[in-house]
Amino acid sequence: MSSRPQPGREFVLTLSCPDRAGLVHAVTSFLVNHSGNILESQQFDDRLQDRFFMRMHFEVSAPATPLEQLRTDFGPVAEAYRITWQLHDVTTPTRTLIMVSKFGHCLNDLLFRQSTGSLNIEIPAIVSNHRDFEPLARNYGIPFHHIPVTQQTKAEAEARLLELVAELDVDLVVLARYMQILSDDLCKRLDGRAINIHHSFLPSFKGARPYVQAHRRGVKLVGATAHYVTPDLDEGPIIEQDVVRVNHSHTPDELVTMGRDVEARVLSRAVQWHSESRVLANGNCTVVFR
Protein backbone atom coordinates (compact mmCIF):
# COMPACT_ATOMS: atom_id res chain seq x y z
CA MET A 1 0.00 0.00 0.00
CA SER A 2 1.21 3.53 -0.79
CA SER A 3 2.32 5.61 2.18
CA ARG A 4 0.30 8.53 0.85
CA PRO A 5 -3.32 8.85 2.04
CA GLN A 6 -5.78 7.73 -0.60
CA PRO A 7 -8.68 10.11 -1.34
CA GLY A 8 -11.99 8.51 -0.53
CA ARG A 9 -10.31 5.58 1.16
CA GLU A 10 -8.78 6.95 4.37
CA PHE A 11 -10.76 8.68 7.10
CA VAL A 12 -10.38 10.03 10.62
CA LEU A 13 -13.10 9.54 13.21
CA THR A 14 -12.93 11.59 16.42
CA LEU A 15 -15.36 11.25 19.26
CA SER A 16 -16.06 12.03 22.88
CA CYS A 17 -18.81 10.76 25.14
CA PRO A 18 -19.57 9.58 28.68
CA ASP A 19 -17.38 6.60 29.48
CA ARG A 20 -19.27 3.34 29.14
CA ALA A 21 -18.55 -0.36 28.75
CA GLY A 22 -18.77 -1.65 25.19
CA LEU A 23 -18.01 1.68 23.55
CA VAL A 24 -14.77 0.66 21.82
CA HIS A 25 -16.36 -2.59 20.69
CA ALA A 26 -19.26 -0.67 19.14
CA VAL A 27 -16.91 1.61 17.20
CA THR A 28 -14.64 -1.17 15.97
CA SER A 29 -17.65 -3.28 15.00
CA PHE A 30 -18.90 -0.39 12.90
CA LEU A 31 -15.54 -0.31 11.11
CA VAL A 32 -15.51 -4.07 10.54
CA ASN A 33 -19.01 -3.90 9.07
CA HIS A 34 -17.79 -1.26 6.62
CA SER A 35 -14.59 -3.12 5.58
CA GLY A 36 -12.53 -0.76 7.72
CA ASN A 37 -8.91 -1.34 8.65
CA ILE A 38 -7.51 0.66 11.58
CA LEU A 39 -4.26 2.46 10.74
CA GLU A 40 -3.91 4.41 13.99
CA SER A 41 -5.97 4.52 17.16
CA GLN A 42 -5.58 6.77 20.18
CA GLN A 43 -7.82 7.12 23.18
CA PHE A 44 -8.00 8.91 26.51
CA ASP A 45 -10.23 8.24 29.49
CA ASP A 46 -10.70 11.37 31.60
CA ARG A 47 -11.58 9.80 34.91
CA LEU A 48 -12.07 13.17 36.60
CA GLN A 49 -14.85 14.05 34.16
CA ASP A 50 -15.89 10.44 33.41
CA ARG A 51 -15.52 11.16 29.71
CA PHE A 52 -13.93 9.12 26.94
CA PHE A 53 -12.06 10.48 23.90
CA MET A 54 -10.90 8.66 20.78
CA ARG A 55 -9.23 9.41 17.44
CA MET A 56 -9.21 6.64 14.88
CA HIS A 57 -7.51 6.78 11.47
CA PHE A 58 -8.78 3.99 9.23
CA GLU A 59 -9.04 2.92 5.62
CA VAL A 60 -11.83 1.14 3.81
CA SER A 61 -11.15 -1.55 1.24
CA ALA A 62 -14.08 -0.54 -0.96
CA PRO A 63 -13.11 2.66 -2.81
CA ALA A 64 -16.75 3.43 -3.60
CA THR A 65 -17.74 3.89 0.05
CA PRO A 66 -18.69 7.58 0.25
CA LEU A 67 -17.97 9.74 3.27
CA GLU A 68 -21.61 10.75 3.65
CA GLN A 69 -22.67 7.11 3.73
CA LEU A 70 -20.21 6.41 6.55
CA ARG A 71 -21.53 9.42 8.44
CA THR A 72 -25.11 8.29 8.01
CA ASP A 73 -24.36 4.74 9.10
CA PHE A 74 -22.44 5.87 12.19
CA GLY A 75 -25.43 7.90 13.36
CA PRO A 76 -27.18 5.07 15.28
CA VAL A 77 -23.95 4.15 17.07
CA ALA A 78 -23.43 7.76 18.11
CA GLU A 79 -27.00 8.07 19.33
CA ALA A 80 -26.82 4.86 21.36
CA TYR A 81 -23.68 5.98 23.21
CA ARG A 82 -24.40 9.74 23.33
CA ILE A 83 -21.34 10.40 21.21
CA THR A 84 -20.17 13.80 19.99
CA TRP A 85 -18.23 13.02 16.83
CA GLN A 86 -16.72 14.12 13.53
CA LEU A 87 -15.69 12.07 10.50
CA HIS A 88 -13.41 13.46 7.80
CA ASP A 89 -11.58 12.33 4.68
CA VAL A 90 -7.87 12.47 5.57
CA THR A 91 -6.87 14.04 2.27
CA THR A 92 -9.38 16.91 2.30
CA PRO A 93 -7.47 20.09 3.23
CA THR A 94 -8.82 22.38 5.92
CA ARG A 95 -9.94 25.62 4.30
CA THR A 96 -8.13 28.20 6.42
CA LEU A 97 -8.58 31.96 6.39
CA ILE A 98 -5.60 33.78 7.91
CA MET A 99 -5.87 37.17 9.63
CA VAL A 100 -2.85 39.40 10.25
CA SER A 101 -1.99 42.98 11.18
CA LYS A 102 1.57 44.37 11.07
CA PHE A 103 3.69 41.44 12.32
CA GLY A 104 4.16 38.86 9.57
CA HIS A 105 6.31 36.11 11.07
CA CYS A 106 3.42 33.74 11.76
CA LEU A 107 1.75 34.48 8.43
CA ASN A 108 4.97 33.90 6.50
CA ASP A 109 5.61 30.64 8.34
CA LEU A 110 2.12 29.30 7.63
CA LEU A 111 2.32 30.27 3.96
CA PHE A 112 5.68 28.56 3.54
CA ARG A 113 4.61 25.38 5.33
CA GLN A 114 1.41 25.18 3.31
CA SER A 115 3.26 25.75 0.04
CA THR A 116 5.71 22.93 0.78
CA GLY A 117 2.97 20.48 1.74
CA SER A 118 3.75 20.20 5.44
CA LEU A 119 0.33 21.61 6.37
CA ASN A 120 -2.79 20.01 4.94
CA ILE A 121 -4.59 23.33 4.62
CA GLU A 122 -5.97 25.39 1.76
CA ILE A 123 -5.82 29.17 2.13
CA PRO A 124 -8.61 30.87 0.18
CA ALA A 125 -7.95 34.33 1.64
CA ILE A 126 -5.79 36.52 3.83
CA VAL A 127 -7.56 39.29 5.75
CA SER A 128 -5.84 42.27 7.32
CA ASN A 129 -6.68 45.64 8.81
CA HIS A 130 -3.52 46.96 7.10
CA ARG A 131 -2.04 46.56 3.62
CA ASP A 132 1.51 45.66 4.69
CA PHE A 133 1.31 42.02 3.57
CA GLU A 134 -0.67 42.44 0.38
CA PRO A 135 2.50 41.90 -1.71
CA LEU A 136 3.30 38.70 0.22
CA ALA A 137 -0.19 37.36 -0.42
CA ARG A 138 0.18 38.24 -4.10
CA ASN A 139 3.47 36.31 -4.27
CA TYR A 140 1.67 33.19 -3.05
CA GLY A 141 -1.31 33.79 -5.34
CA ILE A 142 -3.74 34.17 -2.44
CA PRO A 143 -6.55 36.77 -2.49
CA PHE A 144 -5.93 39.60 -0.01
CA HIS A 145 -8.80 41.43 1.65
CA HIS A 146 -8.13 44.75 3.33
CA ILE A 147 -10.77 45.30 6.00
CA PRO A 148 -9.92 48.42 8.04
CA VAL A 149 -11.13 48.46 11.64
CA THR A 150 -11.96 51.48 13.75
CA GLN A 151 -14.19 51.82 16.76
CA GLN A 152 -16.89 53.14 14.46
CA THR A 153 -16.51 50.43 11.78
CA LYS A 154 -15.83 47.37 13.95
CA ALA A 155 -19.31 45.86 13.54
CA GLU A 156 -19.20 46.40 9.77
CA ALA A 157 -15.72 44.86 9.55
CA GLU A 158 -16.75 41.76 11.48
CA ALA A 159 -19.87 41.40 9.32
CA ARG A 160 -17.64 41.44 6.23
CA LEU A 161 -15.37 38.82 7.78
CA LEU A 162 -18.34 36.53 8.42
CA GLU A 163 -19.45 37.04 4.83
CA LEU A 164 -16.05 35.84 3.64
CA VAL A 165 -16.14 32.84 5.98
CA ALA A 166 -19.49 31.83 4.49
CA GLU A 167 -18.69 32.68 0.85
CA LEU A 168 -15.36 30.85 0.90
CA ASP A 169 -16.63 27.84 2.89
CA VAL A 170 -13.96 28.44 5.54
CA ASP A 171 -13.34 25.69 8.10
CA LEU A 172 -10.78 27.50 10.26
CA VAL A 173 -9.84 31.12 11.00
CA VAL A 174 -6.28 31.72 12.20
CA LEU A 175 -5.34 34.94 13.96
CA ALA A 176 -1.68 35.10 12.96
CA ARG A 177 -0.88 38.11 15.13
CA TYR A 178 -4.10 39.91 14.22
CA MET A 179 -4.03 42.78 16.66
CA GLN A 180 -7.75 43.42 17.07
CA ILE A 181 -10.02 42.18 19.82
CA LEU A 182 -12.95 40.22 18.39
CA SER A 183 -16.42 40.90 19.71
CA ASP A 184 -18.12 38.35 21.94
CA ASP A 185 -20.65 37.64 19.21
CA LEU A 186 -17.95 36.92 16.62
CA CYS A 187 -16.07 34.67 19.06
CA LYS A 188 -19.24 32.67 19.66
CA ARG A 189 -19.92 32.35 15.93
CA LEU A 190 -16.39 31.03 15.37
CA ASP A 191 -16.45 28.77 18.42
CA GLY A 192 -14.09 25.83 17.96
CA ARG A 193 -12.84 27.03 14.57
CA ALA A 194 -10.68 30.05 15.33
CA ILE A 195 -7.13 29.82 16.67
CA ASN A 196 -5.11 32.67 18.18
CA ILE A 197 -1.43 33.00 19.14
CA HIS A 198 0.08 35.22 21.83
CA HIS A 199 3.31 35.52 23.75
CA SER A 200 3.64 33.74 27.06
CA PHE A 201 4.06 36.87 29.19
CA LEU A 202 0.32 37.28 29.69
CA PRO A 203 -1.07 38.18 32.14
CA SER A 204 2.15 39.54 33.69
CA PHE A 205 3.21 41.97 30.95
CA LYS A 206 0.19 43.41 29.19
CA GLY A 207 -0.03 46.23 26.70
CA ALA A 208 2.74 47.73 24.61
CA ARG A 209 6.33 46.45 24.42
CA PRO A 210 5.92 43.30 26.52
CA TYR A 211 9.42 42.08 25.67
CA VAL A 212 10.93 45.29 27.03
CA GLN A 213 8.92 44.82 30.21
CA ALA A 214 10.08 41.22 30.44
CA HIS A 215 13.71 42.20 29.89
CA ARG A 216 13.52 44.72 32.72
CA ARG A 217 12.21 42.02 35.03
CA GLY A 218 14.95 39.57 34.05
CA VAL A 219 12.73 36.81 32.70
CA LYS A 220 14.39 33.47 32.02
CA LEU A 221 11.78 31.96 29.68
CA VAL A 222 10.23 33.27 26.47
CA GLY A 223 7.32 31.36 25.03
CA ALA A 224 3.99 31.33 23.22
CA THR A 225 0.49 29.93 23.57
CA ALA A 226 -1.89 28.88 20.80
CA HIS A 227 -5.52 28.54 21.83
CA TYR A 228 -9.06 28.55 20.54
CA VAL A 229 -10.70 31.96 20.51
CA THR A 230 -13.42 32.62 23.09
CA PRO A 231 -15.07 35.76 24.48
CA ASP A 232 -12.63 35.49 27.41
CA LEU A 233 -9.64 37.34 25.94
CA ASP A 234 -6.57 35.10 25.56
CA GLU A 235 -8.11 32.51 27.89
CA GLY A 236 -9.55 29.99 25.43
CA PRO A 237 -8.77 26.25 25.50
CA ILE A 238 -5.04 25.82 24.96
CA ILE A 239 -3.85 23.71 22.04
CA GLU A 240 -0.07 24.11 22.26
CA GLN A 241 2.62 25.97 24.19
CA ASP A 242 6.40 26.12 24.04
CA VAL A 243 9.26 28.06 25.60
CA VAL A 244 12.93 28.86 25.02
CA ARG A 245 15.39 29.75 27.77
CA VAL A 246 16.92 33.22 27.85
CA ASN A 247 19.34 34.98 30.17
CA HIS A 248 20.76 38.35 31.16
CA SER A 249 22.88 38.61 28.02
CA HIS A 250 19.91 38.83 25.66
CA THR A 251 18.80 42.29 24.61
CA PRO A 252 15.11 43.21 24.25
CA ASP A 253 15.47 42.96 20.45
CA GLU A 254 16.91 39.47 20.78
CA LEU A 255 14.02 38.49 23.02
CA VAL A 256 11.61 39.73 20.35
CA THR A 257 13.35 37.63 17.68
CA MET A 258 13.34 34.52 19.85
CA GLY A 259 9.74 35.14 20.83
CA ARG A 260 8.61 35.46 17.24
CA ASP A 261 10.34 32.20 16.33
CA VAL A 262 8.57 30.29 19.06
CA GLU A 263 5.24 31.96 18.23
CA ALA A 264 5.49 30.77 14.62
CA ARG A 265 6.36 27.22 15.65
CA VAL A 266 3.60 26.96 18.22
CA LEU A 267 0.94 28.35 15.88
CA SER A 268 1.95 26.06 13.01
CA ARG A 269 1.72 23.01 15.27
CA ALA A 270 -1.70 24.08 16.53
CA VAL A 271 -2.95 24.57 12.97
CA GLN A 272 -1.48 21.24 11.89
CA TRP A 273 -3.05 19.31 14.75
CA HIS A 274 -6.42 20.97 14.22
CA SER A 275 -6.32 20.22 10.49
CA GLU A 276 -5.48 16.59 11.23
CA SER A 277 -8.42 16.27 13.66
CA ARG A 278 -6.07 15.72 16.59
CA VAL A 279 -7.63 18.31 18.92
CA LEU A 280 -10.80 17.49 20.85
CA ALA A 281 -12.61 19.91 23.16
CA ASN A 282 -12.83 18.92 26.81
CA GLY A 283 -14.64 21.75 28.58
CA ASN A 284 -12.17 24.59 29.01
CA CYS A 285 -9.29 22.29 28.03
CA THR A 286 -8.34 20.21 25.01
CA VAL A 287 -7.29 16.65 24.41
CA VAL A 288 -4.51 16.61 21.79
CA PHE A 289 -3.66 13.27 20.18
CA ARG A 290 -0.13 13.65 18.80
Side-chain angles (χ1 to χ4, degrees):
M1 186 185 73
S2 170
S3 60
R4 289 181 174 273
Q6 303 177 65
R9 295 278 300 275
E10 293 189 28
F11 306 92
V12 169
L13 171 66
T14 58
L15 62 85
S16 65
C17 59
D19 195 15
R20 176 177 164 186
L23 173 61
V24 174
H25 179 266
V27 174
T28 53
S29 295
F30 164 80
L31 295 181
V32 169
N33 293 334
H34 288 79
S35 302
N37 176 47
I38 297 173
L39 302 176
E40 180 184 15
S41 179
Q42 296 169 287
Q43 60 192 58
F44 170 65
D45 187 359
D46 185 346
R47 295 189 176 185
L48 296 178
Q49 303 296 328
D50 193 29
R51 196 158 184 84
F52 179 81
F53 299 83
M54 174 182 281
R55 178 186 185 273
M56 191 168 289
H57 176 192
F58 65 95
E59 64 178 353
V60 293
S61 57
T65 304
L67 174 61
E68 290 306 320
Q69 185 63 54
L70 290 172
R71 286 173 172 165
T72 298
D73 293 350
F74 189 70
V77 179
E79 184 176 358
Y81 287 86
R82 297 164 54 198
I83 295 173
T84 300
W85 59 284
Q86 291 186 335
L87 180 60
H88 298 288
D89 186 315
V90 169
T91 60
T92 301
T94 300
R95 290 180 61 81
T96 303
L97 183 150
I98 302 178
M99 303 186 71
V100 66
S101 290
K102 282 182 167 289
F103 300 109
H105 52 288
C106 289
L107 170 65
N108 191 57
D109 184 74
L110 291 172
L111 292 175
F112 176 77
R113 291 176 188 271
Q114 188 274 337
S115 69
T116 58
S118 62
L119 284 178
N120 186 31
I121 64 174
E122 182 179 358
I123 305 173
I126 295 170
V127 170
S128 180
N129 54 329
H130 301 281
R131 290 193 177 274
D132 299 53
F133 298 108
E134 189 169 7
L136 179 63
R138 190 181 305 117
N139 287 341
Y140 279 92
I142 298 173
F144 181 89
H145 299 266
H146 178 224
I147 304 180
V149 181
T150 66
Q151 187 173 358
Q152 292 73 29
T153 65
K154 187 179 183 68
E156 179 183 343
E158 291 192 345
R160 176 58 184 144
L161 172 64
L162 288 173
E163 287 177 359
L164 285 173
V165 169
E167 291 170 4
L168 301 174
D169 194 24
V170 168
D171 302 309
L172 177 67
V173 174
V174 176
L175 279 60
R177 293 307 304 272
Y178 180 68
M179 307 305 288
Q180 291 288 325
I181 297 175
L182 306 187
S183 69
D184 288 0
D185 179 66
L186 182 57
C187 291
K188 291 174 183 176
R189 288 187 163 207
L190 297 176
D191 182 45
R193 55 192 185 120
I195 295 175
N196 188 28
I197 184 74
H198 63 75
H199 58 73
S200 64
F201 300 137
L202 293 173
S204 299
F205 306 124
K206 298 181 180 180
R209 308 182 73 193
Y211 286 94
V212 173
Q213 298 179 55
H215 181 265
R216 290 172 179 168
R217 290 290 301 274
V219 298
K220 298 298 183 282
L221 294 173
V222 169
T225 296
H227 61 90
Y228 286 115
V229 174
T230 67
D232 297 318
L233 182 63
D234 293 326
E235 295 182 13
I238 294 171
I239 304 170
E240 171 64 339
Q241 294 177 300
D242 203 354
V243 295
V244 292
R245 295 200 65 85
V246 298
N247 58 48
H248 61 276
S249 69
H250 292 108
T251 67
D253 286 344
E254 289 173 329
L255 295 188
V256 169
T257 298
M258 297 170 73
R260 288 177 179 176
D261 285 344
V262 73
E263 286 171 7
R265 292 198 305 272
V266 167
L267 182 59
S268 68
R269 288 199 292 262
V271 171
Q272 177 184 355
W273 295 339
H274 178 96
S275 69
E276 294 176 352
S277 300
R278 295 185 180 277
V279 187
L280 284 70
N282 185 17
N284 293 325
C285 304
T286 61
V287 172
V288 183
F289 291 121
R290 298 170 56 177

